[in-house]
Amino acid sequence: MRAARLFFTEKLLDWNLEMNNRSMPWKGEKDPYRIWLSEIILQQTRVEQGWPYYERFIANYPTVSDLAAANEEEVFRLWQGLGYYARCKNMLAAAREIQQTYHGQFPNTHDQIKALKGIGPYTAAAIASFAFNLPHAVLDGNVFRVLSRFFGIDTPIDSTAGKKEFAELAQELLPKDNAATYNQALMDFGAVVCKPQRPECSSCPLQKKCVAYHQQLISLLPVKTKKLQIKKRYFNYIIASWKDKVYIRKRTADDIWQNLHEFVLIESKEAADSTQLLSGTDFKELFGTTVYEITRISKQFKQQLTHQTIHSQFINIELAQPTDIPGYQLTPTDTLDNLAFPKTITTFLQSKTGLLL
DNA sequence: AAATCGGGGCA
DNA sequence: TGCCCAGATTT
C-alpha cells in the first residue's frame, strides 16, 4: 500500500511536468481574491462554462474591495445564467466580510478562509494551497474519481464514511511542501486523463498500479448511492403590462431561483390550458376584475434542473388600467436589462415571441 | 444523513 | 435520458 502511494504521487507529478498542457486563466494565480473567485464560480460547474464569467467578474471587480462595494443587483446580473445562485449571494457576503473584518486583505489561514460564507472543505483547501501553499489536500469530483479508481475503493463517495475515508487518503498522499502544484496536478489529471467517461487508460502513466484498470472496474468507480427524484412543475407566467411597464417580483421563497426576478407566476399541478387558467381562481385572486386583453400566448418551454423539470408557458396580457398585485411591482420594461432572470425566462425573452429585443 | 440548489455538455 | 461538473448549505 505504501509503495502504491509513493508510486501514485511520483507518477502524478511526473505527468504534470511532462504531459500536462491544461491552461486556464487562474492557473498559477497567487492572488487569493482571484483564486477564490474562480473556485466559487467553478463549484459544480465545468471550466469551459465558468471561464467567461470569471473574466467578466475580474474585469468588473479587480479587487475584493471592488466586489464588496458593488451593487447587489448588478452582481446578480453578472452571475445570471450560471446557476446555483446562492453562490452569488454568499460570495458577496464573503467579500463584504473580508472588507470589514480584514480590511480588504484576504485572510491567510485555513480556518479563517473556511469560515467565510460559501467556502466549504474543498474551496478552503484550494485557496489555502494555491494562494498560500498550505498543506491541505483538495477533494473534489476529480479527486474522488482518481483515488477511487487507482486504489480500487468502492466506498460510496456521497456517504459520510466515504468522504472521511477519501479525505484522509488524499491528505496522506499530499506532499506537504508542494501542496499547490500537487493539488492542481491531481485535478488536471482527473479532468484530462482519468475522465468520468472514456478515460485515457491506454496512455495513462498510472496504469501499471491502477486497481480499477486491472480489475475492469473503471466504469464502476467511483460509487454513488443516492439517486435523485425529479419532480415536474408547471409555471404559467402572466406577463401583465400596462403601457411601458410590466409586473415583476424578486423570488424570495424557499425555492429555486432565489433573488432572481420573474413575471406574475401561477404554478399549476399539471399543464394548464391558457383559457382555463385565466378564468381560474388563482388568476382572479391576483388580478380581480381588472379588464385586460390577451396579446400573446407562447409555446411551452422546458428546462431541466437537477431535481426538477420546469415546464413554462408565457401569456402576455395588457391591462386597461394599473392594479395592485400583492408582491409584484409595476416596473418599466426598459429597466429589465439591469435585473437577473432565470434562464428559462431569458430564453423566452430572447425568442421571437418575446417581449423585448 | 438526506435533500436542495442551475445550467450545460456528452454518450 | 442519465451522469457529471474545481460543492455548500439547510433540514
Side-chain angles (χ1 to χ4, degrees):
Chain A
M1 190 63 173
R2 175 154 180 82
R5 293 184 181 188
L6 291 173
F7 175 91
F8 179 88
T9 301
E10 184 186 334
K11 293 297 182 186
L12 178 70
L13 290 173
D14 284 351
W15 171 84
N16 187 50
L17 279 177
E18 297 165 17
M19 306 172 68
N20 186 3
N21 293 319
R22 201 177 188 210
S23 174
M24 298 169 292
W26 48 84
K27 196 165 164 180
E29 178 63 59
K30 285 300 168 191
D31 177 355
Y33 166 67
R34 292 187 174 218
I35 293 167
W36 166 64
L37 187 57
S38 73
E39 296 301 343
I40 299 300
I41 288 174
L42 291 174
Q43 285 169 5
Q44 289 294 287
T45 304
R46 289 170 301 104
V47 167
E48 301 73 36
Q49 188 185 357
W51 191 317
Y53 283 85
Y54 172 80
E55 301 282 17
R56 265 175 261 152
F57 268 92
I58 290 298
N60 280 274
Y61 314 114
T63 71
V64 68
S65 300
D66 295 321
L67 180 57
N71 169 270
E72 176 166 327
E73 206 59 68
E74 183 183 299
V75 178
F76 267 92
R77 178 69 186 186
L78 211 54
W79 192 277
Q80 174 178 281
L82 194 55
Y84 283 166
Y85 297 92
R87 289 184 292 171
C88 184
K89 182 94 174 172
N90 288 332
M91 178 182 73
L92 196 47
R96 291 175 176 166
E97 171 75 13
I98 292 167
Q99 185 61 35
Q100 292 200 353
T101 304
Y102 301 104
H103 309 292
Q105 185 93 353
F106 209 97
N108 60 3
T109 72
H110 179 269
D111 287 352
Q112 288 174 330
I113 294 168
K114 173 82 169 58
L116 295 168
K117 295 274 191 196
I119 296 184
Y122 164 77
T123 305
I127 298 172
S129 64
F130 294 151
F132 307 109
N133 209 27
L134 294 170
H136 296 270
V138 293
L139 187 53
D140 74 331
N142 291 304
V143 180
F144 273 119
R145 186 173 56 255
V146 173
L147 297 187
S148 73
R149 285 176 176 169
F150 182 82
F151 293 99
I153 303 170
D154 60 1
T155 313
I157 62 173
D158 54 358
S159 66
T160 304
K163 284 172 192 161
K164 184 166 183 286
E165 182 177 352
F166 281 96
E168 287 172 0
L169 174 58
Q171 191 60 32
E172 288 172 24
L173 291 165
L174 178 75
K176 306 295 185 282
D177 56 348
N178 200 13
T181 300
Y182 171 85
N183 277 338
Q184 183 65 58
L186 183 49
M187 290 193 288
D188 285 346
F189 180 79
V192 174
V193 179
C194 199
K195 300 176 292 185
Q197 282 92 24
R198 298 189 187 193
E200 313 270 348
C201 298
S202 59
S203 64
C204 177
L206 299 177
Q207 185 205 91
K208 195 170 80 176
K209 289 186 184 294
C210 177
V211 173
Y213 179 79
H214 290 293
Q215 298 185 15
Q216 322 284 331
L217 300 173
I218 294 294
S219 63
L220 300 178
L221 294 175
V223 173
K224 275 192 185 178
T225 56
K226 303 183 179 69
K227 41 197 157 205
L228 42 94
Q229 303 258 339
I230 300 179
K231 302 175 212 159
K232 287 184 183 174
R233 298 176 71 180
Y234 298 88
F235 286 4
N236 307 279
Y237 278 119
I238 312 297
I239 306 183
S241 60
W242 179 71
K243 297 194 172 176
D244 293 332
K245 299 178 180 176
V246 62
Y247 288 88
I248 64 168
R249 72 174 173 186
K250 183 188 279 198
R251 289 177 64 87
T252 55
D254 188 16
D255 199 355
I256 59 172
W257 299 334
Q258 273 187 60
N259 297 295
L260 272 61
H261 297 81
E262 68 182 356
F263 301 110
V264 178
L265 173 63
I266 298 177
E267 183 171 359
S268 51
K269 298 214 183 273
E270 48 195 72
D273 175 71
S274 56
T275 53
Q276 82 185 43
L277 190 83
L278 294 172
S279 57
T281 55
D282 288 331
F283 181 86
K284 194 154 296 176
E285 220 165 273
L286 290 162
F287 292 92
T289 56
T290 306
V291 176
Y292 65 88
E293 179 187 357
I294 304 172
T295 55
R296 197 177 289 123
I297 298 175
S298 81
K299 61 169 186 176
Q300 288 270 354
F301 287 77
K302 190 173 101 169
Q303 188 184 15
Q304 186 62 53
L305 306 183
T306 303
H307 284 79
Q308 41 191 297
T309 306
I310 310 289
H311 297 268
S312 301
Q313 184 179 25
F314 298 85
I315 301 172
N316 287 69
I317 65 174
E318 289 181 7
L319 304 185
Q321 57 188 44
T323 179
D324 181 50
I325 305 178
Y328 292 88
Q329 294 183 335
L330 193 52
T331 308
T333 305
D334 60 9
T335 63
L336 299 188
D337 275 345
N338 301 321
L339 307 176
F341 289 85
K343 183 69 176 178
T344 195
I345 291 183
T346 59
T347 298
F348 163 74
L349 290 176
Q350 288 164 13
S351 70
K352 294 292 184 189
T353 58
L355 181 70
L356 304 171
L357 306 178

